[in-house]
Amino acid sequence: MTKRTPLIAGNWKMNKGTTAEATVLITEVRDKAANVSGVEIAVCPPFTVLHALKSVLGDNSPIALGAQDVYWKSAGAYTGQVSAEMLSDAGVSFVLIGHSERRGRFGVAEPDFTEGVLKYFGETDASVNRKTVAALASDLKPIVCVGETLNERENGDTDGVIRAQVEGALDGIFTAQIAQIVFAYEPVWAIGTGKTCSSDEADRVCGIIRATVSDLYDAETGGAVRILYGGSMKPDNASELLVQPNIDGGLIGGASLKASDFVSIAVAAASLPS
Ligand code: PEP
């Protein structure tokens, strides 16, 4: 089987966004992870602290920086947007695309700001695809997030939703580019809720992502693509999830805000039997 290097990526979301607090957290992560090998580590802080964290980490740091979103145009009248070239220039190497907090499942003609409704940013499979193409063109590694809502799971639609999201994201992308892409399976009902998907089920759905990539390209490409699990991963459940054959790491929200928890998860990934 293809050997895949595990990746542990922290999604800080809209937290630790002042230079002072972001510097404290990245310094702790850097120091605690200094002797951890065999795993790639990335942190995705708010845009505004990327430059500051790049200067804390320096060039050639084993800790990579990621952004939480990207716009597909390179420049122009797009108020508030950040392009892939700008991220690359800021020293970013990964970018989250299509996180469930940005996807709008039901259209956004009338944005709904109710907590938890998931309609406010209106990301679609088509915009995820454009962003993925743009990120690849600037040598960024997209972490494409896919996942079903509780309603979709209860209706038995999980597998179809996941396949459609993977196919939509990869539209027009060539075989040789797939090695740069990471998928993250994040069941929406398990994000920030403390509810984890069972390790067997997480592995099964990650297997569907892999099979979809194999069907679209070939078995070698599907076998090589990295797939993370995300959704309330913590030090006490990380090993059980990370040991699964189709899971190659984690996308960590809440637990990435505490350096000791985040690095413990990275250590769990580094300690997997080879
Ligand atoms: C996330 O938002 O990507 C995530 C996985 O969050 P949490 O770990 O807090 O569930």
Side-chain angles (χ1 to χ4, degrees):
M1 200 179 76
T2 319
K3 175 104 178 88
R4 301 179 296 259
T5 305
L7 168 66
I8 299 296
N11 175 11
W12 292 7
K13 310 192 184 189
M14 201 173 71
N15 297 300
K16 305 290 180 187
T18 67
T19 307
E21 53 191 4
T23 301
V24 168
L25 181 53
I26 200 74
T27 305
E28 274 189 79
V29 169
R30 182 197 62 194
D31 294 350
K32 287 182 191 300
N35 296 318
V36 182
S37 58
V39 56
E40 233 178 307
I41 300 177
V43 297
C44 306
F47 287 129
T48 47
V49 294
L50 284 167
H51 270 291
L53 297 197
K54 185 67 190 172
S55 55
V56 173
L57 292 171
D59 294 334
N60 308 319
S61 171
I63 298 177
L65 280 178
Q68 298 175 17
D69 190 27
V70 61
Y71 193 56
W72 59 84
K73 294 282 189 177
S74 47
Y78 305 106
T79 303
Q81 299 300 319
V82 176
S83 72
E85 288 92 331
M86 293 172 192
L87 294 177
S88 207
D89 180 61
V92 163
S93 35
F94 287 94
V95 59
L96 301 178
I97 298 178
H99 191 279
S100 64
E101 286 154 17
R102 302 201 58 86
R103 283 182 185 260
R105 288 302 163 72
F106 316 108
V108 283
E110 291 295 329
D112 184 337
F113 296 104
T114 313
E115 203 62 38
V117 167
L118 304 175
K119 280 196 194 182
Y120 28 78
F121 297 118
E123 195 85 86
T124 63
D125 290 340
S127 60
V128 167
N129 175 247
R130 286 172 178 237
K131 291 178 177 192
T132 305
V133 170
L136 290 169
S138 283
D139 283 334
L140 298 176
K141 293 179 203 147
I143 301 178
V144 176
C145 304
V146 299
E148 79 287 359
T149 61
L150 185 58
N151 199 22
E152 288 163 343
R153 172 160 285 267
E154 287 176 347
N155 287 337
D157 293 336
T158 299
D159 300 9
V161 165
I162 300 300
R163 278 189 180 274
Q165 290 180 348
V166 172
E167 286 170 3
L170 296 180
D171 191 25
I173 289 173
F174 305 114
T175 311
Q177 297 177 294
I178 301 295
Q180 295 307 307
I181 300 179
V182 178
F183 281 96
Y185 169 51
E186 298 211 307
V188 179
W189 48 271
I191 295 180
T193 58
K195 289 184 193 146
T196 343
C197 189
S198 75
S199 49
D200 285 349
E201 177 61 7
D203 185 59
R204 188 190 72 81
V205 180
C206 290
I208 289 173
I209 297 173
R210 199 173 295 295
T212 306
V213 175
S214 297
D215 292 346
L216 290 171
Y217 298 90
D218 53 65
E220 193 186 340
T221 306
V225 71
R226 288 193 291 183
I227 305 172
L228 315 182
Y229 171 78
S232 302
M233 193 185 275
K234 302 184 189 63
D236 60 2
N237 62 18
S239 297
E240 185 188 334
L241 287 156
L242 294 170
V243 80
Q244 299 300 321
N246 281 305
I247 300 181
D248 306 312
L251 180 55
I252 323 293
S256 70
L257 300 176
K258 199 170 160 203
S260 53
D261 285 358
F262 182 60
V263 175
S264 304
I265 296 172
V267 169
S271 319
L272 295 174
S274 50

PDB file of all heavy atoms in Angstrom, residues 11 13 99 101 186 190-192 230-233 251-254, ligand 1:
ATOM      1  N   ASN A  11      -7.108  24.228  12.842  1.00  0.00           N
ATOM      2  CA  ASN A  11      -7.948  25.317  12.326  1.00  0.00           C
ATOM      3  C   ASN A  11      -8.315  26.207  13.511  1.00  0.00           C
ATOM      4  O   ASN A  11      -9.166  25.850  14.309  1.00  0.00           O
ATOM      5  CB  ASN A  11      -9.210  24.714  11.675  1.00  0.00           C
ATOM      6  CG  ASN A  11     -10.186  25.785  11.220  1.00  0.00           C
ATOM      7  OD1 ASN A  11      -9.844  26.976  11.197  1.00  0.00           O
ATOM      8  ND2 ASN A  11     -11.386  25.368  10.845  1.00  0.00           N
ATOM      9  N   LYS A  13      -9.766  28.963  13.400  1.00  0.00           N
ATOM     10  CA  LYS A  13     -11.000  29.716  13.113  1.00  0.00           C
ATOM     11  C   LYS A  13     -10.785  31.196  13.487  1.00  0.00           C
ATOM     12  O   LYS A  13      -9.679  31.702  13.315  1.00  0.00           O
ATOM     13  CB  LYS A  13     -12.188  29.096  13.846  1.00  0.00           C
ATOM     14  CG  LYS A  13     -12.280  27.596  13.617  1.00  0.00           C
ATOM     15  CD  LYS A  13     -13.569  27.005  14.074  1.00  0.00           C
ATOM     16  CE  LYS A  13     -13.513  25.498  13.900  1.00  0.00           C
ATOM     17  NZ  LYS A  13     -14.786  24.850  14.123  1.00  0.00           N
ATOM     18  N   HIS A  99     -14.746  24.655   4.123  1.00  0.00           N
ATOM     19  CA  HIS A  99     -15.087  24.261   5.499  1.00  0.00           C
ATOM     20  C   HIS A  99     -16.600  24.408   5.687  1.00  0.00           C
ATOM     21  O   HIS A  99     -17.216  25.313   5.122  1.00  0.00           O
ATOM     22  CB  HIS A  99     -14.336  25.146   6.502  1.00  0.00           C
ATOM     23  CG  HIS A  99     -14.443  24.636   7.899  1.00  0.00           C
ATOM     24  ND1 HIS A  99     -15.548  24.880   8.681  1.00  0.00           N
ATOM     25  CD2 HIS A  99     -13.612  23.863   8.642  1.00  0.00           C
ATOM     26  CE1 HIS A  99     -15.382  24.281   9.859  1.00  0.00           C
ATOM     27  NE2 HIS A  99     -14.212  23.660   9.852  1.00  0.00           N
ATOM     28  N   GLU A 101     -18.328  25.584   7.894  1.00  0.00           N
ATOM     29  CA  GLU A 101     -18.802  26.885   8.379  1.00  0.00           C
ATOM     30  C   GLU A 101     -18.903  27.890   7.239  1.00  0.00           C
ATOM     31  O   GLU A 101     -19.455  28.981   7.425  1.00  0.00           O
ATOM     32  CB  GLU A 101     -17.872  27.390   9.498  1.00  0.00           C
ATOM     33  CG  GLU A 101     -18.113  26.606  10.779  1.00  0.00           C
ATOM     34  CD  GLU A 101     -16.914  26.540  11.716  1.00  0.00           C
ATOM     35  OE1 GLU A 101     -15.976  27.346  11.573  1.00  0.00           O
ATOM     36  OE2 GLU A 101     -16.918  25.655  12.584  1.00  0.00           O
ATOM     37  N   GLU A 186     -15.232  15.903   7.390  1.00  0.00           N
ATOM     38  CA  GLU A 186     -15.701  16.527   8.613  1.00  0.00           C
ATOM     39  C   GLU A 186     -17.224  16.437   8.666  1.00  0.00           C
ATOM     40  O   GLU A 186     -17.918  17.279   8.069  1.00  0.00           O
ATOM     41  CB  GLU A 186     -15.285  18.003   8.638  1.00  0.00           C
ATOM     42  CG  GLU A 186     -13.789  18.199   8.630  1.00  0.00           C
ATOM     43  CD  GLU A 186     -13.403  19.460   9.375  1.00  0.00           C
ATOM     44  OE1 GLU A 186     -13.948  20.532   9.063  1.00  0.00           O
ATOM     45  OE2 GLU A 186     -12.572  19.362  10.279  1.00  0.00           O
ATOM     46  N   ALA A 190     -20.463  16.750  13.848  1.00  0.00           N
ATOM     47  CA  ALA A 190     -19.416  16.426  14.830  1.00  0.00           C
ATOM     48  C   ALA A 190     -18.436  17.578  15.018  1.00  0.00           C
ATOM     49  O   ALA A 190     -17.461  17.430  15.742  1.00  0.00           O
ATOM     50  CB  ALA A 190     -18.659  15.174  14.382  1.00  0.00           C
ATOM     51  N   ILE A 191     -18.704  18.730  14.375  1.00  0.00           N
ATOM     52  CA  ILE A 191     -17.743  19.835  14.468  1.00  0.00           C
ATOM     53  C   ILE A 191     -18.111  20.773  15.610  1.00  0.00           C
ATOM     54  O   ILE A 191     -19.202  21.336  15.629  1.00  0.00           O
ATOM     55  CB  ILE A 191     -17.671  20.595  13.140  1.00  0.00           C
ATOM     56  CG1 ILE A 191     -17.094  19.647  12.096  1.00  0.00           C
ATOM     57  CG2 ILE A 191     -16.802  21.830  13.274  1.00  0.00           C
ATOM     58  CD1 ILE A 191     -16.970  20.254  10.759  1.00  0.00           C
ATOM     59  N   GLY A 192     -17.197  20.875  16.544  1.00  0.00           N
ATOM     60  CA  GLY A 192     -17.392  21.787  17.668  1.00  0.00           C
ATOM     61  C   GLY A 192     -18.498  21.358  18.616  1.00  0.00           C
ATOM     62  O   GLY A 192     -18.942  22.132  19.458  1.00  0.00           O
ATOM     63  N   GLY A 230     -11.882  15.164  10.666  1.00  0.00           N
ATOM     64  CA  GLY A 230     -12.049  16.317  11.554  1.00  0.00           C
ATOM     65  C   GLY A 230     -13.420  16.303  12.180  1.00  0.00           C
ATOM     66  O   GLY A 230     -14.418  15.985  11.532  1.00  0.00           O
ATOM     67  N   GLY A 231     -13.460  16.649  13.440  1.00  0.00           N
ATOM     68  CA  GLY A 231     -14.738  16.689  14.164  1.00  0.00           C
ATOM     69  C   GLY A 231     -14.498  16.229  15.581  1.00  0.00           C
ATOM     70  O   GLY A 231     -14.459  15.038  15.851  1.00  0.00           O
ATOM     71  N   SER A 232     -14.243  17.210  16.478  1.00  0.00           N
ATOM     72  CA  SER A 232     -14.033  16.914  17.901  1.00  0.00           C
ATOM     73  C   SER A 232     -12.918  15.896  18.135  1.00  0.00           C
ATOM     74  O   SER A 232     -13.022  15.056  19.031  1.00  0.00           O
ATOM     75  CB  SER A 232     -15.351  16.454  18.546  1.00  0.00           C
ATOM     76  OG  SER A 232     -16.348  17.456  18.400  1.00  0.00           O
ATOM     77  N   MET A 233     -11.851  15.968  17.326  1.00  0.00           N
ATOM     78  CA  MET A 233     -10.686  15.102  17.615  1.00  0.00           C
ATOM     79  C   MET A 233      -9.913  15.722  18.778  1.00  0.00           C
ATOM     80  O   MET A 233      -9.677  16.928  18.817  1.00  0.00           O
ATOM     81  CB  MET A 233      -9.783  14.958  16.393  1.00  0.00           C
ATOM     82  CG  MET A 233      -8.764  13.840  16.574  1.00  0.00           C
ATOM     83  SD  MET A 233      -7.565  13.715  15.224  1.00  0.00           S
ATOM     84  CE  MET A 233      -8.415  12.729  14.029  1.00  0.00           C
ATOM     85  N   LEU A 251      -7.887  17.180  11.071  1.00  0.00           N
ATOM     86  CA  LEU A 251      -8.117  18.626  11.031  1.00  0.00           C
ATOM     87  C   LEU A 251      -8.749  18.951  12.379  1.00  0.00           C
ATOM     88  O   LEU A 251      -9.820  18.433  12.713  1.00  0.00           O
ATOM     89  CB  LEU A 251      -9.030  19.000   9.863  1.00  0.00           C
ATOM     90  CG  LEU A 251      -9.343  20.495   9.707  1.00  0.00           C
ATOM     91  CD1 LEU A 251      -8.072  21.335   9.613  1.00  0.00           C
ATOM     92  CD2 LEU A 251     -10.180  20.732   8.442  1.00  0.00           C
ATOM     93  N   ILE A 252      -8.048  19.766  13.157  1.00  0.00           N
ATOM     94  CA  ILE A 252      -8.394  19.939  14.557  1.00  0.00           C
ATOM     95  C   ILE A 252      -8.860  21.373  14.794  1.00  0.00           C
ATOM     96  O   ILE A 252      -8.117  22.315  14.502  1.00  0.00           O
ATOM     97  CB  ILE A 252      -7.143  19.704  15.453  1.00  0.00           C
ATOM     98  CG1 ILE A 252      -6.239  18.573  14.916  1.00  0.00           C
ATOM     99  CG2 ILE A 252      -7.523  19.491  16.907  1.00  0.00           C
ATOM    100  CD1 ILE A 252      -6.815  17.207  14.945  1.00  0.00           C
ATOM    101  N   GLY A 253     -10.048  21.526  15.333  1.00  0.00           N
ATOM    102  CA  GLY A 253     -10.561  22.861  15.659  1.00  0.00           C
ATOM    103  C   GLY A 253     -10.232  23.207  17.101  1.00  0.00           C
ATOM    104  O   GLY A 253      -9.131  23.637  17.428  1.00  0.00           O
ATOM    105  N   GLY A 254     -11.189  22.959  17.994  1.00  0.00           N
ATOM    106  CA  GLY A 254     -11.059  23.354  19.400  1.00  0.00           C
ATOM    107  C   GLY A 254      -9.731  22.951  20.032  1.00  0.00           C
ATOM    108  O   GLY A 254      -9.073  23.768  20.695  1.00  0.00           O
TER     109      GLY A 254
HETATM  110  C1  PEP B   1     -13.092  22.061  12.458  1.00  0.00           C
HETATM  111  O1  PEP B   1     -13.741  23.082  12.596  1.00  0.00           O
HETATM  112  O2  PEP B   1     -12.474  21.891  11.407  1.00  0.00           O
HETATM  113  C2  PEP B   1     -13.102  21.078  13.535  1.00  0.00           C
HETATM  114  C3  PEP B   1     -12.733  19.867  13.281  1.00  0.00           C
HETATM  115  O3  PEP B   1     -13.502  21.546  14.777  1.00  0.00           O
HETATM  116  P1  PEP B   1     -13.526  20.730  16.166  1.00  0.00           P
HETATM  117  O4  PEP B   1     -12.249  19.954  16.256  1.00  0.00           O
HETATM  118  O5  PEP B   1     -13.642  21.788  17.223  1.00  0.00           O
HETATM  119  O6  PEP B   1     -14.729  19.835  16.117  1.00  0.00           O
END
